Amino acid sequence: MPLTRRGLLTGAAIGGGVVVAWALFPRSYPDVLEPGRGEYAFDAWLKIAEDGVVTVAVPQLEMGQGITTVLPQVVAAELGADWRQIAVEPAPVSGSYANVPLAARWAPLWMPFAAGLAEEPDGLVAQRFAEGRRFSATADGMSLAAFEGPCRNAAAAARAMLAQAAADRWNVSWEECEAQAGFIVHGDKRLRFAELAQEASTYDPPDPPPLRSEPHGEDPLPGQIEGAGDYPRLDLPSKVDGSFMFAGDVRLPGMVFAAIRHGPVDKATLVEFNQFSTQGIRGIVGAVKGNRWLAVAATNWWAAERALDTMKARFNVEFLADSDDFEARIDDALRKGEAHRIEERGGGYDSGGNASLALRYDVEPGVHAPLETASATARFEGGRLELWVATQAPESARIAAARALGIAVEDVVLYPMPAGGSFDSRLEHDHVIEVAMIARELGRPVQLTWSRWQELLRSRPRQPASLLVTAQIGKDGQGRIEGLKTRIATPPANMEFGQRLFDNKASWAAIRDSEGAADALACEGAMPVYDIPRVAVDHVPVEIGLPCSRMRGNAHGYTAFAIESFIDEVATRHGREPLSFRISMLGQDVRMAACLQRVARLAEWDGGQDQSGKGIACHRIGDAETGGRIACIASARAGDGGVRVTRLSAIVDIGRIVNLDIARQQIEGGLVFGLAMAMGASARYRSGLPVAQRLSDLNLPALTDCPEIEVEFMASEAPPADPGELGAVVAAPAIANALYSATGLRLRRLPLLSGGL
């Protein structure tokens, strides 16, 4: 089969042989990067063809974040390849691509009773789990942390093997040869990778591989200058011309299209439907009844959707999620619930009822609303299931599908597809189970696509939360915070998610078995970046009956809002200018102070005085050494039409920048995502149903609502941090503080203005 970049982006390989994965000793794995005709595999990460094309395996889901450019860029830079000859192949699930840092980070989810044994990013316990489980999930911005090292090692080894082959031809030392733009060079002698690939693949790679002295990085450009980068996105041309293949673009011979209806949230059981009502609708192939859903397949999706409308499925529900109910439960838990101490500094802080200031912040459930709704294609033949699906957790999806059909996991082949957005919604795999069952019952290939209404109904939002922030403030009149405690009442959503992902539990079983559990991941970001002497973070778990999951920004989305709003309020109450007040409390975090000072210059900060409508916020995701930092100034106002944000200015420090254009895109997209969370993008429930049934009901920002956005990056030699979530979490507090500047009103609920002015 001829190889094309498009084909490589949409295919998957199954092969034999054995290859040792760098940095994953001492195991070996089946050779999952099978070479095609005229190709030669160098390890699990790359192969080189006789036409010079270098194919890089990417084990992470491409969902708009640019990972199918960033990892190949790491390989190309280390290998010395010509970027114009780089192609991408999505990697099948394999222990060769274990995401060990993410496994360590999520240790409380898969080993809750002894998580401390596995929380070291390079620890043996996490490594063994990730390898054995073939855990290559895409989440939490861990792709570079997990795979930059293996990619560099693989590329360096291949470069050495190519140099050895060339050196033997020239009778020189291979260490004297260099790799440049797809050539091995020695003096005035040059040989293309293509000429050396076959011979080089027979050499033994040096151990350890000869890495270049410095990892690849790009320098930030001053101001808003945009230059043509050396590594433009590989997926950009096909996305512009429409040829890029998403999960919903798969077409198989004889394939039919399925639509589906789910019951209310949660634990709904299908009890009846009118099976004779579809007469007269052309193209109907058949209906499939699940315990908790009803699907219809037809020769086109619209016919299937119309048929379901006429069938009027009815469900029995044991519990109906309702916003008034779970808000009352959260309120009760915040006031009287038993708390778990998650983190503390300086011995912690408890006010004993004598806090100088206590303020409450409330956040409604946040919805993902990706552009592409859940879509999956399945073919079940001869006891073997094939799946074409976009999934952030491919091995968990395979396991879930296998269990649903009662077959072995080895009989499930998953072809990873890109996603048209996710925001972590594709960590769940309900649609994978459904399409597998429909394909088995119909006996032919089928593509299942959820409508927007079913996506909003069935997908699990980020959990609602209420946060009580209390502080002991010094008596010198300067607003100096001496003690701070954040009490967070929210479901242990990550523990529930972990039981669904790793134990394949139903949502209600996961809620039941997680009741009362402490969830440290539900409190991320509550430990402030500020050098406050005594700090405590408490989690009050509360069972609300609403299945919840992870979402872009996760807990940082509400902890950043509460902490940065609170800091602004303290500054205002004590007559302190918000920027200088923050800088005065930063202690040793010089990088954050630099971000704040520079964003003030970029946005022409005026202190938010005289109803200027300017508000400031900053946040760090990660620890002081490796965490990413952002400082943001928003210009906003409130009116009859709601919130109007006119400008967002941000300074970002993400350490070494691998791809400047993609980093900028991620921050800009994150700021718009954060704007959406500030304005809407939340779910309220009545009688088990989301009130919002369409995208237009979510008050998402349209193109005309998008403000002027300015983003600049700090030059840094720190390890690279992920830019994907920083903008998403800092926008809401900056906008809230800007609205206070404009109106004099403090808004302590997300979405802002959800309770009116």
Side-chain angles (χ1 to χ4, degrees):
M1 181 179 69
L3 292 173
T4 65
R5 178 166 294 174
R6 175 176 172 182
L8 291 169
L9 280 167
T10 60
I14 307 168
V18 171
V19 62
V20 177
W22 286 106
L24 294 174
F25 65 95
R27 296 185 176 187
S28 60
Y29 304 92
D31 185 354
V32 293
L33 197 62
E34 182 182 12
R37 180 179 301 175
E39 285 188 321
Y40 304 95
F42 283 74
D43 57 18
W45 289 95
L46 66 97
K47 53 188 178 182
I48 303 176
E50 292 175 350
D51 62 1
V53 172
V54 178
T55 300
V56 180
V58 176
Q60 299 281 270
L61 173 65
E62 174 60 71
M63 46 189 171
Q65 83 280 36
I67 196 61
T68 51
T69 294
V70 171
L71 290 185
Q73 179 179 349
V74 170
V75 170
E78 187 66 46
L79 180 62
D82 186 336
W83 186 242
R84 295 169 298 180
Q85 292 185 288
I86 296 294
V88 177
E89 183 171 313
V93 289
S94 167
S96 297
Y97 310 110
N99 192 334
V100 179
L102 183 60
R105 184 179 180 84
W106 284 3
L109 309 187
W110 53 267
M111 198 169 66
F113 300 109
L117 298 176
E119 289 180 339
E120 290 299 322
D122 55 355
L124 184 61
V125 175
Q127 178 179 333
R128 288 304 190 204
F129 168 82
E131 292 174 3
R133 181 69 183 232
R134 291 179 286 203
F135 178 74
S136 59
T138 308
D140 272 12
M142 303 298 288
S143 296
L144 270 178
F147 300 117
E148 183 183 31
C151 282
R152 289 191 67 202
N153 285 332
R159 171 167 43 83
M161 294 161 72
L162 291 164
Q164 288 171 357
D168 283 352
R169 292 191 189 185
W170 297 328
N171 196 27
V172 299
S173 171
W174 72 266
E175 291 89 349
E176 298 176 0
C177 299
E178 296 183 3
Q180 300 173 355
F183 290 85
I184 297 296
V185 179
H186 184 271
D188 59 356
K189 296 185 287 292
R190 297 161 63 88
L191 285 170
R192 294 183 299 117
F193 287 180
E195 300 173 79
L196 298 166
Q198 181 178 10
E199 184 180 350
S201 66
T202 65
Y203 283 75
D204 292 327
D207 187 14
L211 295 172
R212 297 185 185 274
S213 59
E214 295 293 335
H216 169 74
E218 296 184 351
D219 295 328
L221 297 172
Q224 292 296 299
I225 296 175
E226 295 187 9
D230 294 330
Y231 300 93
R233 287 186 70 138
L234 292 177
D235 55 355
L236 187 59
S238 58
K239 285 183 175 178
V240 170
D241 66 24
S243 62
F244 192 84
M245 298 268 301
F246 293 100
D249 297 321
V250 173
R251 295 295 182 268
L252 301 176
M255 187 179 82
V256 295
F257 301 86
I260 198 165
R261 290 291 184 273
H262 301 97
V265 183
D266 192 25
K267 203 175 181 181
T269 303
L270 180 64
V271 291
E272 68 176 10
F273 56 92
N274 186 347
Q275 58 185 321
F276 303 109
S277 63
T278 61
Q279 296 177 7
I281 300 177
R282 294 182 178 180
I284 302 300
V285 174
V288 178
K289 174 183 177 296
N291 288 334
R292 308 185 189 282
W293 48 266
L294 176 66
V296 171
T299 54
N300 64 84
W301 184 86
W302 182 241
E305 182 73 6
R306 286 178 56 214
L308 283 168
D309 285 339
T310 68
M311 295 171 77
K312 300 187 183 304
R314 293 183 63 249
F315 297 84
N316 278 342
V317 186
E318 295 185 17
F319 171 82
L320 290 172
D322 188 273
S323 290
D324 291 341
D325 173 65
F326 62 65
E327 287 176 0
R329 297 191 194 191
I330 291 174
D331 178 74
D332 186 65
L334 185 68
R335 297 172 184 275
K336 299 179 291 186
E338 180 181 354
H340 300 269
R341 180 61 48 92
I342 298 298
E343 193 175 3
E344 64 181 24
R345 177 198 302 161
Y349 168 69
D350 287 290
S351 66
N354 296 314
S356 305
L357 181 64
L359 298 172
R360 174 175 170 169
Y361 302 87
D362 298 290
V363 180
E364 294 184 359
V367 297
H368 304 87
L371 185 62
E372 181 188 37
T373 61
S375 181
T377 302
R379 178 166 56 199
F380 185 72
E381 293 180 355
R384 182 182 177 90
L385 176 68
E386 294 177 281
L387 292 167
W388 289 260
V389 63
T391 171
Q392 293 177 246
E395 184 65 357
S396 293
R398 290 179 68 224
I399 292 171
R403 289 180 179 175
L405 299 188
I407 62 177
V409 177
E410 291 73 20
D411 289 327
V412 178
V413 180
L414 190 149
Y415 302 98
M417 300 297 299
S422 174
F423 315 123
D424 281 354
S425 62
R426 301 302 169 239
L427 283 167
E428 306 283 352
H429 44 251
D430 303 71
H431 60 304
V432 177
I433 296 172
E434 292 165 355
V435 76
M437 297 179 67
I438 296 168
R440 181 187 63 182
E441 294 304 310
L442 295 180
R444 59 192 300 177
V446 61
Q447 182 175 97
L448 170 67
T449 302
W450 288 2
S451 67
R452 179 60 62 185
W453 164 231
Q454 294 302 302
E455 175 86 17
L456 289 169
L457 170 63
R458 192 66 180 127
S459 63
R460 301 174 178 95
R462 184 201 62 202
Q463 69 271 27
S466 290
L467 301 89
L468 181 65
V469 185
T470 60
Q472 184 66 45
I473 299 174
K475 299 181 179 180
D476 58 2
Q478 298 301 304
R480 182 170 54 88
I481 301 175
E482 299 175 345
L484 185 77
K485 182 172 77 171
T486 304
R487 179 179 169 92
I488 305 173
T490 192
N494 297 282
M495 310 307 290
E496 298 171 16
F497 160 74
Q499 295 198 37
R500 293 195 304 270
L501 184 70
F502 297 114
D503 299 331
N504 205 36
K505 289 186 179 179
S507 57
W508 52 89
I511 291 173
R512 178 197 63 215
D513 295 343
S514 301
E515 188 171 355
D519 185 354
L521 295 177
C523 301
E524 286 185 312
M527 179 59 69
V529 66
Y530 305 105
D531 192 20
I532 299 170
R534 295 177 293 136
V535 182
V537 178
D538 289 349
H539 176 219
V540 184
V542 52
E543 189 274 303
I544 63 173
L546 176 70
C548 299
S549 191
R550 297 180 66 77
M551 193 181 79
R552 187 178 190 179
N554 296 300
H556 292 276
Y558 49 78
T559 56
F561 171 66
I563 296 297
E564 282 302 291
S565 295
F566 186 85
I567 294 297
D568 224 62
E569 295 208 45
V570 173
T572 302
R573 289 167 185 250
H574 290 82
R576 299 291 303 275
E577 189 273 322
L579 171 66
S580 60
F581 182 63
R582 284 173 167 83
I583 292 177
S584 71
M585 294 193 297
L586 281 175
Q588 302 300 312
D589 200 330
V590 178
R591 294 169 62 188
M592 183 64 86
C595 288
L596 284 165
Q597 291 171 336
R598 187 164 159 185
V599 79
R601 294 194 298 271
L602 178 66
E604 300 176 339
W605 170 249
D606 60 1
Q609 302 299 313
D610 300 324
Q611 295 184 322
S612 68
K614 290 187 177 182
I616 191 168
C618 63
H619 194 66
R620 183 179 74 202
I621 297 180
D623 59 35
E625 181 179 353
T626 63
R629 295 157 171 83
I630 188 168
C632 178
I633 292 177
S635 296
R637 63 178 184 270
D640 294 338
V643 179
R644 178 66 178 172
V645 181
T646 58
R647 186 180 182 188
L648 289 171
S649 304
I651 298 295
V652 185
D653 184 342
I654 55 170
R656 173 171 51 88
I657 302 170
V658 176
N659 188 299
L660 179 62
D661 284 346
I662 289 177
R664 185 184 300 278
Q665 292 162 16
Q666 284 289 283
I667 296 297
E668 290 174 346
L671 289 169
V672 175
F673 188 92
L675 172 63
M677 300 308 297
M679 294 173 58
S682 66
R684 293 194 63 79
Y685 293 83
R686 291 287 180 267
S687 301
L689 301 176
V691 174
Q693 299 187 17
R694 300 181 299 270
L695 282 179
S696 58
D697 297 331
L698 296 177
N699 198 31
L700 300 176
L703 187 61
T704 55
D705 300 315
C706 287
E708 176 187 355
I709 296 177
E710 302 171 296
V711 177
E712 292 187 6
F713 290 88
M714 303 290 291
S716 176
E717 297 180 357
D722 180 70
E725 299 185 343
L726 288 167
V729 303
V730 79
I735 293 169
N737 293 336
L739 286 172
Y740 172 76
S741 170
T743 67
L745 296 174
R746 283 290 178 189
L747 302 173
R748 304 190 184 105
R749 185 180 183 90
L750 283 181
L752 303 172
L753 303 182
S754 56
L757 286 175

